[in-house]
Amino acid sequence: ELEIEMRIRQVEEDWNDQTFTFAEFRNRGQITLKGNATQAILDSIDDSQASLAGMKTSRFVAPFKAEITQWLSKFSTVSDVVELWLEVQATWVHLESVFTSKDIMMKLPREAKRFAQVDKNWVKVMGKAGENPNVISLCCGSDFVQNMLPHLKDQLEICQKALAGHLEAKRNAFPRFAFVSDTVLLDILSQTQDPGSIQTHLTSLF
C-alpha cells in the first residue's frame, strides 16, 4: 500500500507543474501550441495512464482505487482535449493564409466571414490558455476551452468544405489543375494578376 501511495504522489507531483508551451505564429503572438512540447505531454499521459492501470490491478489497491480512477478520468479528458486541440490548430493554420487572401475573400465571402469569427475565437482560446497554462486545470477545469474547441472544429470543417468545392470547380474548368496540390492551386489562384509569378508551377501542369 505504501508503494502504491508513493507512486500516486509521484504522478500527482509530476502533473502539478506540467504546463503547455506556446509558439509564435506569423508575428501574431504566441497563439499556437508548440508541437514537440505538446506531443511530449501526450506521451507523458500515456506513461501515467499505464502506471496507474498497473497499480489498479494490485490486490493492495483498495484504499486508493477511487483516487486512481479519478486520475485516469482526468488523463482521459486531457488526452481527448489535447488531440482535438491539435486537430483544430492544424486546420486553422492551413486555412489562415487562405482566407486572408483577397482572392478567396471575394470568391467565398460567407466562408471568409465565418473564418474571421473562428479566428477571433481561436485567439480567445489561446489567450485563456496563456492565462492558465497548467495542463490538468485548463483541460479539466475550463468549460470555455472544452466547449469552444468542438465548435471551432465544426466551423472550420464548413470553411474547408466550401474551399474544396471552390477548388473542384476550378479543376473542372481547367483539368490540368488536377496535377497540382491544393496548396499550389491556391498559390496560383491568388496570383492571377501576376502571371509571371506562377511560372514555377507550369512544369507541374504541362
Side-chain angles (χ1 to χ4, degrees), residues 176 179-180 184 188 197-206:
R176 285 192 173 272
F179 291 111
V180 296
V184 171
I188 293 171
S197 65
I198 66 169
Q199 287 182 357
T200 54
H201 303 306
L202 291 179
T203 53
S204 300
L205 297 173
F206 299 98

Side-chain angles (χ1 to χ4, degrees), residues 157-178:
E157 283 177 352
I158 293 171
C159 294
Q160 203 165 28
K161 190 174 179 181
L163 179 63
H166 173 65
L167 296 181
E168 187 62 26
K170 294 296 181 183
R171 287 186 171 112
N172 288 336
F174 186 62
R176 285 192 173 272
F177 280 150

Side-chain angles (χ1 to χ4, degrees), residues 28-47:
R28 293 186 57 185
Q30 294 192 331
I31 56 171
T32 55
L33 292 173
K34 198 167 187 178
N36 292 342
T38 308
Q39 186 56 53
I41 288 172
L42 289 172
D43 292 341
S44 296
I45 288 172
D46 289 342
D47 292 342

